[in-house]
Amino acid sequence: FYHYYARRNVTYDKWIYKSNPKFPTPEKVRDEIVQMLKGMLCATICPALSLHLASHGYGNAFCGWGDRSLAYHLGTLVFTWMVSDFFEFSYHRLGHVDVKWWTHHRHHHVFHNPSPFSVIADEPVDQFFRSSPLLILPLLFPINMDLLFLLFGLFFYIYGVYLHCGYEHSFISPHNGFINTSFQHYAHHARSSMNTPYHCGFFFKIWDQLFGTTYPESKGCFCAECARKNGERSLEEFKKVQIPDYSILLKPSFWMTFDTFKIVAKE
């Protein structure tokens, strides 16, 4: 957050890669942090329960090599990655096509211009189900918990920070055919709602491609890459952008207010 959003670090060379040319207000970032902390607490339940069950002889979780071959570990890693990514897509899509699940997921969509703090800024029910593979998979087959935690840490939480950072990057185009970039997830936050499940995938694009949940090309692309090609990211435009002073987030008085707990979900 400091690298991309602190006023002293916002530059024209960085801004031309920002999906949304505007910046969220400090109040909205505060909401993200509060919601993130709620989600973080709930996200620990499934992995903690999985380890607890394993310590009492339930399930198939193990740590270390576990007398398994390298091929087994690599195979389970790839299999678990694909299964978990499809599960994340399926559950995410469910939150946009079923009103019962939308009542929980819509709280994440109040952050239509996300910052890195919104990575797990979910309601507790949402975050519990998102982390449930950490509990379910070890009950189904033998799996190295070290690898499982590494997988979720890297590809769902750390990669999730990138997806929510609000900035695209020069090393990967949002128009690549395989991997979701931060633009796809920004597009999801900005354009998805109930019955419009655009870009519900997390890592691989194939799920959205198979289920027809990509943003329609007929509506036009609004990524930063296309904006640069269309001449919409000029220095003159950058000078018009209002960059909030996020240092207020470090002041206790900014947090000690009832507004801190008023996170209004997007209808």
Side-chain angles (χ1 to χ4, degrees):
F1 183 87
Y2 177 76
H3 177 71
Y4 284 118
Y5 288 86
R7 182 180 286 178
R8 62 184 297 179
N9 292 331
V10 176
T11 65
Y12 172 69
D13 290 336
K14 291 178 184 177
W15 175 79
I16 60 175
Y17 288 94
K18 194 174 186 308
S19 296
N20 188 325
K22 298 180 180 180
F23 288 82
T25 64
E27 289 77 14
K28 188 56 64 178
V29 175
R30 179 180 61 191
D31 288 350
E32 287 181 331
I33 295 172
V34 172
Q35 196 79 338
M36 176 198 68
L37 292 174
K38 290 166 58 180
M40 186 182 298
L41 288 173
C42 202
T44 62
I45 295 175
C46 285
L49 185 56
S50 184
L51 292 176
H52 177 74
L53 291 174
S55 68
H56 287 77
Y58 297 99
N60 303 285
F62 63 89
C63 296
W65 287 101
D67 296 324
R68 304 279 175 169
S69 67
L70 177 62
Y72 180 84
H73 287 285
L74 292 177
T76 55
L77 177 65
V78 173
F79 174 76
T80 302
W81 186 6
M82 296 297 293
V83 168
S84 298
D85 199 59
F86 179 68
F87 172 82
E88 293 290 333
F89 162 79
S90 301
Y91 177 75
H92 196 176
R93 179 180 177 276
L94 181 65
H96 286 273
V97 299
D98 189 309
V99 68
K100 295 187 299 294
W101 295 99
W102 172 247
T103 58
H104 299 290
H105 185 59
R106 66 195 180 101
H107 295 272
H108 188 62
H109 276 266
V110 69
F111 310 120
H112 61 274
N113 185 13
S115 83
F117 286 117
S118 64
V119 59
I120 54 173
D122 299 308
E123 282 293 282
V125 171
D126 246 4
Q127 195 51 228
F128 176 83
F129 279 99
R130 286 178 180 277
S131 62
S132 62
L134 289 163
L135 173 61
I136 297 172
L137 292 175
L139 294 175
L140 299 178
F141 60 90
I143 189 168
N144 185 333
M145 293 301 290
D146 297 324
L147 281 181
L148 187 59
F149 284 178
L150 180 65
L151 174 68
F152 269 74
L154 288 177
F155 293 110
F156 294 106
Y157 297 126
I158 293 179
Y159 193 74
V161 170
Y162 155 68
L163 290 182
H164 290 84
C165 75
Y167 283 81
E168 300 163 28
H169 292 278
S170 59
F171 61 82
I172 183 169
S173 170
H175 296 288
N176 81 84
F178 304 101
I179 299 174
N180 282 309
T181 69
S182 56
F183 168 69
Q184 272 75 43
H185 208 72
Y186 163 67
H188 175 77
H189 275 256
R191 302 295 169 89
S192 292
S193 187
M194 180 63 194
N195 292 324
T196 52
Y198 301 132
H199 298 294
C200 295
F202 207 79
F203 194 84
F204 298 109
K205 285 186 173 181
I206 188 172
W207 315 126
D208 284 300
Q209 293 165 348
L210 289 175
F211 286 82
T213 50
T214 56
Y215 190 71
E217 293 183 4
S218 60
K219 294 187 176 182
C221 182
F222 52 99
C223 70
E225 181 178 302
C226 290
R228 292 194 302 274
K229 290 179 181 178
N230 295 333
E232 298 170 3
R233 294 302 172 91
S234 64
L235 183 59
E236 290 72 21
E237 290 299 316
F238 174 66
K239 292 178 179 178
K240 299 177 184 178
V241 175
Q242 294 184 354
I243 305 172
D245 181 9
Y246 294 110
S247 65
I248 195 173
L249 291 167
L250 301 176
K251 297 181 178 180
S253 59
F254 184 65
W255 296 86
M256 298 176 67
T257 169
F258 285 112
D259 290 338
T260 300
F261 304 99
K262 294 179 181 179
I263 304 175
V264 181
K266 180 180 178 182
E267 295 296 339

